[in-house]
PDB file of all heavy atoms in Angstrom:
ATOM      1  N   MET A 275     -63.624  10.144 -18.670  1.00 78.00           N
ATOM      2  CA  MET A 275     -63.580  10.736 -17.362  1.00 78.00           C
ATOM      3  C   MET A 275     -62.331  10.271 -16.561  1.00 78.00           C
ATOM      4  O   MET A 275     -62.097  10.661 -15.422  1.00 78.00           O
ATOM      5  CB  MET A 275     -64.854  10.360 -16.530  1.00 78.00           C
ATOM      6  CG  MET A 275     -66.103  11.017 -17.133  1.00 78.00           C
ATOM      7  SD  MET A 275     -67.639  10.414 -16.363  1.00 78.00           S
ATOM      8  CE  MET A 275     -67.377  10.581 -14.612  1.00 78.00           C
ATOM      9  N   GLY A 276     -61.642   9.295 -17.156  1.00 81.00           N
ATOM     10  CA  GLY A 276     -60.455   8.763 -16.454  1.00 81.00           C
ATOM     11  C   GLY A 276     -60.727   7.673 -15.511  1.00 81.00           C
ATOM     12  O   GLY A 276     -59.859   7.250 -14.747  1.00 81.00           O
ATOM     13  N   GLN A 277     -61.959   7.220 -15.457  1.00 81.00           N
ATOM     14  CA  GLN A 277     -62.405   6.106 -14.604  1.00 81.00           C
ATOM     15  C   GLN A 277     -62.217   4.774 -15.400  1.00 81.00           C
ATOM     16  O   GLN A 277     -63.150   4.155 -15.818  1.00 81.00           O
ATOM     17  CB  GLN A 277     -63.803   6.292 -14.065  1.00 81.00           C
ATOM     18  CG  GLN A 277     -63.917   7.524 -13.254  1.00 81.00           C
ATOM     19  CD  GLN A 277     -65.334   7.672 -12.736  1.00 81.00           C
ATOM     20  OE1 GLN A 277     -66.121   6.768 -12.677  1.00 81.00           O
ATOM     21  NE2 GLN A 277     -65.666   8.975 -12.327  1.00 81.00           N
ATOM     22  N   LEU A 278     -60.923   4.380 -15.508  1.00 89.00           N
ATOM     23  CA  LEU A 278     -60.620   3.298 -16.415  1.00 89.00           C
ATOM     24  C   LEU A 278     -61.094   1.947 -15.986  1.00 89.00           C
ATOM     25  O   LEU A 278     -61.564   1.136 -16.800  1.00 89.00           O
ATOM     26  CB  LEU A 278     -59.100   3.244 -16.620  1.00 89.00           C
ATOM     27  CG  LEU A 278     -58.510   4.558 -17.241  1.00 89.00           C
ATOM     28  CD1 LEU A 278     -56.988   4.471 -17.350  1.00 89.00           C
ATOM     29  CD2 LEU A 278     -59.137   4.858 -18.568  1.00 89.00           C
ATOM     30  N   GLN A 279     -61.128   1.612 -14.655  1.00 92.00           N
ATOM     31  CA  GLN A 279     -61.635   0.361 -14.250  1.00 92.00           C
ATOM     32  C   GLN A 279     -63.128   0.247 -14.476  1.00 92.00           C
ATOM     33  O   GLN A 279     -63.538  -0.793 -14.978  1.00 92.00           O
ATOM     34  CB  GLN A 279     -61.326   0.121 -12.784  1.00 92.00           C
ATOM     35  CG  GLN A 279     -61.729  -1.256 -12.241  1.00 92.00           C
ATOM     36  CD  GLN A 279     -61.036  -2.401 -12.900  1.00 92.00           C
ATOM     37  OE1 GLN A 279     -59.778  -2.340 -13.074  1.00 92.00           O
ATOM     38  NE2 GLN A 279     -61.748  -3.405 -13.313  1.00 92.00           N
ATOM     39  N   ARG A 280     -63.841   1.287 -14.222  1.00 92.00           N
ATOM     40  CA  ARG A 280     -65.281   1.298 -14.492  1.00 92.00           C
ATOM     41  C   ARG A 280     -65.534   1.207 -15.993  1.00 92.00           C
ATOM     42  O   ARG A 280     -66.490   0.596 -16.443  1.00 92.00           O
ATOM     43  CB  ARG A 280     -65.906   2.566 -13.920  1.00 92.00           C
ATOM     44  CG  ARG A 280     -66.021   2.452 -12.367  1.00 92.00           C
ATOM     45  CD  ARG A 280     -66.743   3.680 -11.779  1.00 92.00           C
ATOM     46  NE  ARG A 280     -68.179   3.526 -11.997  1.00 92.00           N
ATOM     47  CZ  ARG A 280     -69.044   4.454 -11.691  1.00 92.00           C
ATOM     48  NH1 ARG A 280     -68.652   5.596 -11.137  1.00 92.00           N
ATOM     49  NH2 ARG A 280     -70.311   4.275 -11.901  1.00 92.00           N
ATOM     50  N   ALA A 281     -64.664   1.895 -16.781  1.00 90.00           N
ATOM     51  CA  ALA A 281     -64.801   1.818 -18.197  1.00 90.00           C
ATOM     52  C   ALA A 281     -64.612   0.407 -18.693  1.00 90.00           C
ATOM     53  O   ALA A 281     -65.450  -0.108 -19.507  1.00 90.00           O
ATOM     54  CB  ALA A 281     -63.782   2.738 -18.863  1.00 90.00           C
ATOM     55  N   LEU A 282     -63.629  -0.295 -18.172  1.00 92.00           N
ATOM     56  CA  LEU A 282     -63.419  -1.674 -18.572  1.00 92.00           C
ATOM     57  C   LEU A 282     -64.558  -2.541 -18.196  1.00 92.00           C
ATOM     58  O   LEU A 282     -64.993  -3.322 -19.029  1.00 92.00           O
ATOM     59  CB  LEU A 282     -62.069  -2.162 -17.922  1.00 92.00           C
ATOM     60  CG  LEU A 282     -61.619  -3.605 -18.285  1.00 92.00           C
ATOM     61  CD1 LEU A 282     -61.287  -3.685 -19.767  1.00 92.00           C
ATOM     62  CD2 LEU A 282     -60.391  -3.991 -17.458  1.00 92.00           C
ATOM     63  N   GLU A 283     -65.061  -2.405 -17.043  1.00 93.00           N
ATOM     64  CA  GLU A 283     -66.229  -3.221 -16.535  1.00 93.00           C
ATOM     65  C   GLU A 283     -67.409  -2.986 -17.482  1.00 93.00           C
ATOM     66  O   GLU A 283     -68.135  -3.907 -17.844  1.00 93.00           O
ATOM     67  CB  GLU A 283     -66.489  -2.872 -15.117  1.00 93.00           C
ATOM     68  CG  GLU A 283     -65.471  -3.384 -14.163  1.00 93.00           C
ATOM     69  CD  GLU A 283     -65.629  -2.801 -12.722  1.00 93.00           C
ATOM     70  OE1 GLU A 283     -66.602  -2.023 -12.453  1.00 93.00           O
ATOM     71  OE2 GLU A 283     -64.739  -3.050 -11.931  1.00 93.00           O
ATOM     72  N   SER A 284     -67.676  -1.698 -17.773  1.00 91.00           N
ATOM     73  CA  SER A 284     -68.785  -1.377 -18.654  1.00 91.00           C
ATOM     74  C   SER A 284     -68.651  -1.977 -20.041  1.00 91.00           C
ATOM     75  O   SER A 284     -69.601  -2.497 -20.599  1.00 91.00           O
ATOM     76  CB  SER A 284     -69.004   0.142 -18.759  1.00 91.00           C
ATOM     77  OG  SER A 284     -69.412   0.615 -17.527  1.00 91.00           O
ATOM     78  N   LEU A 285     -67.446  -1.861 -20.592  1.00 93.00           N
ATOM     79  CA  LEU A 285     -67.207  -2.439 -21.950  1.00 93.00           C
ATOM     80  C   LEU A 285     -67.412  -3.967 -21.911  1.00 93.00           C
ATOM     81  O   LEU A 285     -68.017  -4.516 -22.846  1.00 93.00           O
ATOM     82  CB  LEU A 285     -65.747  -2.121 -22.391  1.00 93.00           C
ATOM     83  CG  LEU A 285     -65.525  -0.599 -22.706  1.00 93.00           C
ATOM     84  CD1 LEU A 285     -64.036  -0.349 -22.869  1.00 93.00           C
ATOM     85  CD2 LEU A 285     -66.378  -0.177 -23.965  1.00 93.00           C
ATOM     86  N   VAL A 286     -66.938  -4.656 -20.944  1.00 95.00           N
ATOM     87  CA  VAL A 286     -67.150  -6.085 -20.828  1.00 95.00           C
ATOM     88  C   VAL A 286     -68.644  -6.401 -20.663  1.00 95.00           C
ATOM     89  O   VAL A 286     -69.161  -7.325 -21.318  1.00 95.00           O
ATOM     90  CB  VAL A 286     -66.315  -6.689 -19.648  1.00 95.00           C
ATOM     91  CG1 VAL A 286     -66.742  -8.136 -19.351  1.00 95.00           C
ATOM     92  CG2 VAL A 286     -64.803  -6.570 -19.963  1.00 95.00           C
ATOM     93  N   ASN A 287     -69.355  -5.648 -19.822  1.00 93.00           N
ATOM     94  CA  ASN A 287     -70.822  -5.916 -19.594  1.00 93.00           C
ATOM     95  C   ASN A 287     -71.531  -5.678 -20.874  1.00 93.00           C
ATOM     96  O   ASN A 287     -72.562  -6.316 -21.071  1.00 93.00           O
ATOM     97  CB  ASN A 287     -71.299  -5.015 -18.488  1.00 93.00           C
ATOM     98  CG  ASN A 287     -70.848  -5.508 -17.117  1.00 93.00           C
ATOM     99  OD1 ASN A 287     -70.537  -6.698 -16.945  1.00 93.00           O
ATOM    100  ND2 ASN A 287     -70.812  -4.580 -16.217  1.00 93.00           N
ATOM    101  N   GLY A 288     -71.025  -4.764 -21.731  1.00 92.00           N
ATOM    102  CA  GLY A 288     -71.686  -4.562 -23.023  1.00 92.00           C
ATOM    103  C   GLY A 288     -71.197  -5.397 -24.106  1.00 92.00           C
ATOM    104  O   GLY A 288     -71.535  -5.180 -25.314  1.00 92.00           O
ATOM    105  N   HIS A 289     -70.297  -6.327 -23.792  1.00 94.00           N
ATOM    106  CA  HIS A 289     -69.732  -7.284 -24.707  1.00 94.00           C
ATOM    107  C   HIS A 289     -68.948  -6.560 -25.821  1.00 94.00           C
ATOM    108  O   HIS A 289     -68.759  -7.060 -26.963  1.00 94.00           O
ATOM    109  CB  HIS A 289     -70.776  -8.193 -25.420  1.00 94.00           C
ATOM    110  CG  HIS A 289     -71.585  -8.922 -24.411  1.00 94.00           C
ATOM    111  ND1 HIS A 289     -71.105  -9.950 -23.611  1.00 94.00           N
ATOM    112  CD2 HIS A 289     -72.903  -8.785 -24.080  1.00 94.00           C
ATOM    113  CE1 HIS A 289     -72.025 -10.385 -22.784  1.00 94.00           C
ATOM    114  NE2 HIS A 289     -73.156  -9.726 -23.060  1.00 94.00           N
ATOM    115  N   ALA A 290     -68.369  -5.433 -25.461  1.00 94.00           N
ATOM    116  CA  ALA A 290     -67.537  -4.622 -26.414  1.00 94.00           C
ATOM    117  C   ALA A 290     -66.105  -5.086 -26.087  1.00 94.00           C
ATOM    118  O   ALA A 290     -65.238  -4.335 -25.623  1.00 94.00           O
ATOM    119  CB  ALA A 290     -67.694  -3.160 -26.183  1.00 94.00           C
ATOM    120  N   TYR A 291     -65.824  -6.371 -26.424  1.00 95.00           N
ATOM    121  CA  TYR A 291     -64.550  -6.983 -26.050  1.00 95.00           C
ATOM    122  C   TYR A 291     -63.308  -6.359 -26.831  1.00 95.00           C
ATOM    123  O   TYR A 291     -62.296  -6.238 -26.231  1.00 95.00           O
ATOM    124  CB  TYR A 291     -64.589  -8.530 -26.227  1.00 95.00           C
ATOM    125  CG  TYR A 291     -65.409  -9.151 -25.203  1.00 95.00           C
ATOM    126  CD1 TYR A 291     -66.707  -9.604 -25.494  1.00 95.00           C
ATOM    127  CD2 TYR A 291     -64.955  -9.356 -23.929  1.00 95.00           C
ATOM    128  CE1 TYR A 291     -67.463 -10.190 -24.549  1.00 95.00           C
ATOM    129  CE2 TYR A 291     -65.704  -9.993 -22.947  1.00 95.00           C
ATOM    130  CZ  TYR A 291     -66.997 -10.403 -23.231  1.00 95.00           C
ATOM    131  OH  TYR A 291     -67.733 -10.962 -22.262  1.00 95.00           O
TER     132      TYR A 291
END
Side-chain angles (χ1 to χ4, degrees):
M275 293 171 51
Q277 296 181 21
L278 300 178
Q279 184 61 47
R280 288 183 76 186
L282 183 63
E283 291 166 4
S284 293
L285 292 168
V286 170
N287 288 334
H289 305 293
Y291 287 102

